[in-house]
Amino acid sequence: MKMSLHQGNLFAVTLLFCIFCGCQGMLPQERIPDISGYKKAVNLNTASALVNIANADFSQGSYGWTMGPGYKIDPNGGMNGGSGLCYERNEPKPYQLCSTKLKVEAGKTYKIGAWVRGESLSSNKPFDCIAIELYKDGEYVTGSYIRPRFLLGKDWAYVESEYISDLSADARLSLYMYRGVTGKIWFD
């Protein structure tokens, strides 16, 4: 059976999905292509890494975090009534971050996520609110910026992304409100 590259990609992804979901019996044997030599096959063995983030739940106040003006720890502002981080900006010009330092390793996958909600936000479209930035010798090298696919509202929403580091480096994880946006944003 001959397949176009697009059909082959779609079928390989479907096949991998079915293998993981236990539905391989649903595919007829004659339709299962040999993908052993397929060069763009999904790498299922990507190494992942666990990084401890000091005070990730803000239960120890601002310990471990560098907070710019406008940020505060709200002892009852978290998703389940625990501590949470709140940032309020009334003017579009100041641009502040709340950051913590960590180290990343080359080739490792990092899942980055937080519960987020907003109030009276001036933006009518989704905006970046979480970042991981890499530094070598104190100089910015690269970063990944996480933007939810929806408008933030008063209800908590989980925002996450995966990041694969190209290099081993010092990194900064930042929680913030995008440039020019006013209102309040909470993180937990």
Side-chain angles (χ1 to χ4, degrees), residues 11 17-18 20 22 25 35 41 57 62 84 89 98 128 134:
F11 195 76
F17 173 78
C18 287
F20 282 112
I35 61 168
D57 63 357
S62 62
R89 183 167 59 209
C98 178
D128 299 348
L134 278 55

Side-chain angles (χ1 to χ4, degrees), residues 100-139:
T100 190
K101 293 180 181 180
L102 45 104
K103 292 194 179 289
V104 297
E105 296 178 46
K108 302 284 181 160
T109 300
Y110 298 89
K111 186 176 279 190
I112 305 159
W115 287 96
V116 183
R117 72 179 183 94
E119 183 178 308
S120 303
L121 296 171
S122 64
S123 179
N124 60 358
K125 58 185 177 182
F127 58 85
D128 299 348
C129 59
I130 303 171
I132 185 164
E133 297 177 321
L134 278 55
Y135 294 83
K136 275 289 200 189
D137 301 321
E139 296 292 320

Side-chain angles (χ1 to χ4, degrees), residues 49 51 53 65 102 104 108-116 129-134 143-147 158-165 171-175:
V51 175
I53 297 175
W65 294 86
L102 45 104
V104 297
K108 302 284 181 160
T109 300
Y110 298 89
K111 186 176 279 190
I112 305 159
W115 287 96
V116 183
C129 59
I130 303 171
I132 185 164
E133 297 177 321
L134 278 55
S144 180
Y145 305 89
I146 303 170
R147 173 180 299 174
Y158 193 69
V159 177
E160 77 173 352
S161 183
E162 285 189 356
Y163 175 72
I164 300 173
S165 182
R172 184 172 70 189
L173 176 67
S174 297
L175 308 174

Side-chain angles (χ1 to χ4, degrees), residues 83-99:
S83 295
L85 175 70
C86 178
Y87 177 50
E88 182 174 13
R89 183 167 59 209
N90 297 315
E91 298 294 325
K93 278 290 183 199
Y95 179 65
Q96 303 293 329
L97 301 173
C98 178
S99 303

